[in-house]
């Protein structure tokens, strides 16, 4: 739990005593760094925090990002009370908004590693690279428990297992923040509170109809772990709980999270939370800081001010919110050290960091099939054919939240593709037959890399209606496999995906099948395992469905009595 430092509490008391209502609401306000807001908004104390996610970059390189945030910080320090700003970023698998940063496997891959020490290290590197680009706050880790793989954010979560997610949450918060929040750490955010991954039919922002008991038993434990480790912030979720938007849900936010669990950090809203979920009701429910972005600034500020003036929101609630925000600013040492540290810049994307990300890639790979010891591959094979656009594209192998919010199909700086890694290790001929149109029946093996194209948030949702399943491979990708199987070439399939897909037939037709999740910038790590430089270590973080029927959603009141018999159970994974 975040320690209640008496000196800090006294400093907060003195500040609160002299703050105007406008200044208090300012602390509770977060905007984008390029937001159209009045010229003097920061210098008049009307802003408490800045967010960067998709959108115009703060600069062209890390030094200019730092310079942008330094100049915004100077404006805040020149305000009447000189309260520093928090700078938050969606660094969810490395500082993934910066082209050239080390990008780790998405959390689902980290869940497969089962390696909490490694997750702690990865979070430490993410924290450092985020600091190096000017931030002191990350909106990570996502500690959702996905109930249904149709949800578009399954890969942002570590696992369908509560216990595994709990241990990963603990490790991630420790890695980001250290033993306690101080000037060397960065503030982490456990998100999205609560029920994000457990909505009916896996709809992003939908309704979660689980019983209170199930929410407590299955969804709450990772938040307990994060709070016990001192997580500085919790983000409210877009979903509703039994019809009531989580942003306006006083029971879960105030009664449970703050009061009974003792969370004394910041509850931040999600995107435009104020205009979307009931305006002042969200403040009364316990939201402390609002993402007043994309034009919400004036409406939020004005709305909350009149809410306080007409008694709809109590002064005590405002003071509590501001106290929580100031507590984190003091704990992070921002009053003494408000500016980014230029000496960190050379560490961004350094070899040392990439080596850890590569280890994470290797350990995340789950071997689902290995007929007659097809793997490991002999480096001396005469001819290896590599197939599929995912094989030579670091954008495709990284998924959403990679350089762009929705990800992209473009290579980015400093990354290595899977093909690069294969070419580095193979001693014989390596041919890239991207769309399986080449004539290579003489190949010793075809490594076919296929899977999902990048998506984020609701864009990754499937269906919405219960029977609208599409969790299968595309016809093109199935053809790549069929083409090589029909030529009589041995086939190794590497699946790049943010969730398990229904691949029963393809697994059947292959000689070896590897679930590689969304490995991030170090695609080379995959080749190191395929060629046997390292053994497989990954274990399934989700049970693997046999058919589309299996996507009716996991758990739930009747789940364990159902006939669900996955193709591979949770925890499955072969070794050499
Ligand atoms: C997402 C959050 C994210 C926030 C800020 C929202 O749309 O749900 O996970 O942190 O945007 O970019």
């Amino acid at each position: 739990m975040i320690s209640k430092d008496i000196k800090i509490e006294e400093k907060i008391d003195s500040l609160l005593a002299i703050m105007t209502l406008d200044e208090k609401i300012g602390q509770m306000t977060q905007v984008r760094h390029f937001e159209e807001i009045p010229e003097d908004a920061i210098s008049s104390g009307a802003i408490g925090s800045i967010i960067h996610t998709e959108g115009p970059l703060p600069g062209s390189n890390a030094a200019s990002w730092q310079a942008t945030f330094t100049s915004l910080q100077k404006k805040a320090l020149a305000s009447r009370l000189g309260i520093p700003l928090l700078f938050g970023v969606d660094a969810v698998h490395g500082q993934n908004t910066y082209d050239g940063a080390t990008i780790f496997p998405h959390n689902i891959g980290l869940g497969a590693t089962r390696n909490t020490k490694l997750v702690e290290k990865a979070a430490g590197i993410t924290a450092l690279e985020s600091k190096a680009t000017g931030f002191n706050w990350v909106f990570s880790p996502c500690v959702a428990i996905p109930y249904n793989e149709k949800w578009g954010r399954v890969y942002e979560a570590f696992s369908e297992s509560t216990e595994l997610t709990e241990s990963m949450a603990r490790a991630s918060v420790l890695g980001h923040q250290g033993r306690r929040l101080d000037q060397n750490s960065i503030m982490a955010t456990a998100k999205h509170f609560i029920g994000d991954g457990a909505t009916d039919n896996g709809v992003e922002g939908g309704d979660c109809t689980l019983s209170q008991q199930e929410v407590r038993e299955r969804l709450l434990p990772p938040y307990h772990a994060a709070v016990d480790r001192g997580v500085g912030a919790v983000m409210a979720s877009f979903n509703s709980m039994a019809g009531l938007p989580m942003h306006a849900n006083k029971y879960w936010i105030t009664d449970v999270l703050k009061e009974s669990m003792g969370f004394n950090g910041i509850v931040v809203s999600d995107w435009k939370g104020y205009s979307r979920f009931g305006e002042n009701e969200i403040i009364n429910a316990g939201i402390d800081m609002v993402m007043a972005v994309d034009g919400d600034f004036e409406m939020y500020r004005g709305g909350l001010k009149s809410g306080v003036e007409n008694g709809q929101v109590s002064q005590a609630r405002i003071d509590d919110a501001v106290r929580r925000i100031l507590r984190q600013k003091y704990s992070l040492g921002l009053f003494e050290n408000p500016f980014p540290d230029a000496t960190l810049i050379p560490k961004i994307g350094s070899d040392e960091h990439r080596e850890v990300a590569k280890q994470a890639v290797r350990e995340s790979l789950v071997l689902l099939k290995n007929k007659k010891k097809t793997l490991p591959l002999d480096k001396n094979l005469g001819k290896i054919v590599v197939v599929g656009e995912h094989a030579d594209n670091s954008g495709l192998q990284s998924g959403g939240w990679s350089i762009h919010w929705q990800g992209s199909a473009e290579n980015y700086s400093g990354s290595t593709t899977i093909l690069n890694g294969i070419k580095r290790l193979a001693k014989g001929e390596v041919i890239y037959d991207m769309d399986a149109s080449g004539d290579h029946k003489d190949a010793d093996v075809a490594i076919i890399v296929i899977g999902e194209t990048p998506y984020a948030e609701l864009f990754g949702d499937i269906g919405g209606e219960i029977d609208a399943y599409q969790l299968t491979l595309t016809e093109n990708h199935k053809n790549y496999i069929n083409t090589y199987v029909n030529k009589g070439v041995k086939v190794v399939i590497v699946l790049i995906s943010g969730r398990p897909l229904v691949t029963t037939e393809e697994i059947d037709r292959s000689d070896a099948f590897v679930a590689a999740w969304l490995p991030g910038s170090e695609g080379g790590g995959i080749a190191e395992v395929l060629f046997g430089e390292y053994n497989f270590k990954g274990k399934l973080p989700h049970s693997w469905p046999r058919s589309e029927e299996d996507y009716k959603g996991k758990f739930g009141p009747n789940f364990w009595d159902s006939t669900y018999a996955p193709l591979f159970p949770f925890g499955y994974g072969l070794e050499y």
Side-chain angles (χ1 to χ4, degrees):
M1 208 150 310
I2 303 164
S3 61
K4 273 207 175 167
D5 183 323
I6 300 193
K7 276 203 198 114
I8 288 185
E9 299 304 314
E10 282 170 1
K11 287 182 191 167
I12 298 172
D13 288 338
S14 343
L15 256 185
L16 274 174
I18 54 168
M19 287 175 87
T20 63
L21 178 58
D22 284 328
E23 285 165 335
K24 289 177 181 174
I25 293 174
Q27 286 305 303
M28 298 168 68
T29 306
Q30 181 176 65
V31 296
R32 304 173 94 167
H33 57 91
F34 54 85
E35 200 88 35
E36 284 186 30
I37 49 172
E39 184 61 37
D40 66 344
I42 297 180
S43 54
S44 66
I47 307 288
S49 173
I50 304 278
I51 177 174
H52 173 62
T53 178
E54 180 78 6
L57 299 176
S60 54
N61 56 28
S64 57
W65 286 44
Q66 286 202 359
T68 299
F69 297 136
T70 297
S71 86
L72 294 169
Q73 192 68 295
K74 282 186 176 159
K75 286 190 191 173
L77 298 175
S79 64
R80 185 178 83 93
L81 299 171
I83 303 175
L85 296 165
L86 282 166
F87 294 97
V89 65
D90 279 304
V92 304
H93 62 144
Q95 205 313 36
N96 47 245
T97 70
Y98 185 80
D99 192 2
T102 308
I103 300 197
F104 289 88
H106 266 297
N107 285 347
I108 193 168
L110 297 182
T113 70
R114 304 295 202 265
N115 188 341
T116 48
K117 281 277 159 236
L118 184 57
V119 170
E120 187 185 324
K121 253 192 186 170
I125 290 170
T126 302
L128 200 150
E129 296 199 8
S130 299
K131 271 177 99 75
T133 45
F135 298 94
N136 42 40
W137 184 5
V138 296
F139 302 122
S140 179
C142 172
V143 299
I145 308 292
Y147 269 49
N148 191 317
E149 281 91 356
K150 293 202 287 178
W151 186 41
R153 310 188 76 161
V154 167
Y155 65 83
E156 293 187 55
F158 294 102
S159 169
E160 70 185 21
S161 151
T162 300
E163 294 70 24
L164 180 55
T165 306
E166 216 179 329
S167 61
M168 291 291 166
R170 203 173 284 122
S172 177
V173 173
L174 182 59
H176 281 105
Q177 299 193 162
R179 300 230 153 251
R180 68 188 306 255
L181 220 48
D182 63 20
Q183 63 185 53
N184 299 314
S185 49
I186 200 158
M187 184 164 71
T189 310
K191 71 184 188 184
H192 309 80
F193 189 78
I194 194 169
D196 50 353
T199 59
D200 294 352
N201 306 321
V203 176
E204 167 67 358
D207 195 27
C208 174
T209 54
L210 300 182
S211 68
Q212 234 188 63
Q213 189 192 341
E214 194 166 355
V215 173
R216 282 178 183 276
E217 286 173 3
R218 284 204 172 271
L219 310 186
L220 206 55
Y223 286 96
H224 271 291
V227 171
D228 288 348
R229 266 270 43 105
V231 73
V234 169
M235 189 185 294
S237 185
F238 282 143
N239 66 279
S240 317
M241 189 63 78
L244 178 63
M246 269 311 307
H247 275 68
N249 210 311
K250 183 160 181 291
Y251 170 74
W252 286 107
I253 296 178
T254 296
D255 303 357
V256 177
L257 176 67
K258 290 181 169 177
E259 281 167 16
S260 82
M261 289 166 63
F263 173 64
N264 66 7
I266 302 169
V267 177
V268 63
S269 85
D270 204 340
W271 206 252
K272 289 171 81 73
Y274 190 79
S275 57
R276 289 165 78 164
F277 300 113
E279 306 188 350
N280 290 333
E281 276 171 49
I282 75 168
I283 308 296
N284 285 334
I287 303 272
D288 303 307
M289 183 185 281
V290 169
M291 290 187 191
V293 287
D294 281 354
D296 271 11
F297 174 71
E298 300 285 3
M299 185 265 283
Y300 163 59
R301 225 180 131 59
L304 183 51
K305 189 172 184 187
S306 44
V308 177
E309 285 166 350
N310 67 27
Q312 198 189 10
V313 179
S314 71
Q315 189 64 54
R317 176 72 270 276
I318 299 290
D319 286 354
D320 170 58
V322 176
R323 176 177 293 281
R324 288 165 180 273
I325 293 160
L326 294 176
R327 184 179 287 142
Q328 306 307 54
K329 291 185 175 182
Y330 277 115
S331 300
L332 283 162
L334 290 182
F335 286 83
E336 299 84 46
N337 276 303
F339 300 117
D341 175 356
T343 66
L344 298 178
I345 292 177
K347 306 221 169 176
I348 301 173
S350 66
D351 290 348
E352 194 196 332
H353 289 180
R354 291 187 186 281
E355 202 37 62
V356 178
K358 194 142 66 128
Q359 182 191 349
V361 173
R362 293 190 301 256
E363 296 193 13
S364 70
L365 305 175
V366 183
L367 180 62
L368 293 178
K369 178 179 181 184
N370 194 15
K371 192 165 98 190
K372 295 194 192 141
K373 298 199 172 148
T374 302
L375 296 176
L377 298 173
D378 183 345
K379 288 181 192 161
N380 296 308
L381 287 178
K383 181 171 177 178
I384 296 177
V385 178
V386 179
V387 181
E389 56 279 10
H390 285 66
D392 195 25
N393 191 307
S394 58
L396 289 178
Q397 85 200 12
S398 300
W401 300 106
S402 303
I403 313 305
H404 301 283
W405 175 41
Q406 292 294 323
S408 78
E410 280 163 33
N411 288 309
Y412 52 87
S413 310
S415 53
T416 19
T417 68
I418 298 162
L419 180 65
N420 295 153
I422 294 171
K423 284 189 170 160
R424 191 176 73 80
L425 293 179
K427 298 202 165 59
E429 192 183 3
V430 175
I431 309 255
Y432 184 35
D433 180 17
M434 189 176 88
D435 57 359
S437 60
D439 181 17
H440 300 294
K441 50 178 170 301
D442 58 336
D444 295 298
V445 68
I447 303 175
I448 303 185
V449 188
I450 36 123
E452 293 187 308
T453 45
Y455 52 78
E457 299 190 40
L458 68 165
F459 295 98
D461 281 2
I462 291 177
E465 291 301 328
I466 198 143
D467 284 322
Y469 301 121
Q470 297 161 35
L471 282 155
T472 49
L473 293 174
T474 62
E475 287 310 308
N476 268 351
H477 285 179
K478 287 183 185 173
N479 283 337
Y480 298 169
I481 298 167
N482 292 341
T483 305
Y484 274 89
V485 169
N486 294 341
K487 286 185 207 289
V489 176
K490 258 193 198 165
V491 163
V492 173
I493 300 180
V494 176
L495 180 70
I496 301 295
S497 67
R499 46 192 157 196
L501 297 182
V502 176
T503 43
T504 308
E505 267 178 45
E506 291 76 22
I507 292 173
D508 204 43
R509 309 198 79 192
S510 69
D511 294 278
F513 193 101
V514 178
W517 317 112
L518 299 168
S521 58
E522 308 313 305
I526 295 181
E528 295 177 350
V529 181
L530 296 181
F531 286 108
E533 295 209 331
Y534 294 86
N535 203 343
F536 279 94
K537 279 192 159 175
K539 304 289 173 211
L540 285 181
H542 283 243
S543 53
W544 196 279
R546 181 184 302 274
S547 74
E548 290 170 338
E549 273 302 291
D550 291 343
Y551 282 107
K552 288 233 157 110
K554 296 182 174 172
F555 313 115
N558 304 315
F559 176 72
W560 297 109
D561 311 327
S562 77
T563 52
Y564 178 62
L567 188 60
F568 302 107
F570 171 83
Y572 186 84
L574 303 169
E575 290 172 20
Y576 288 147

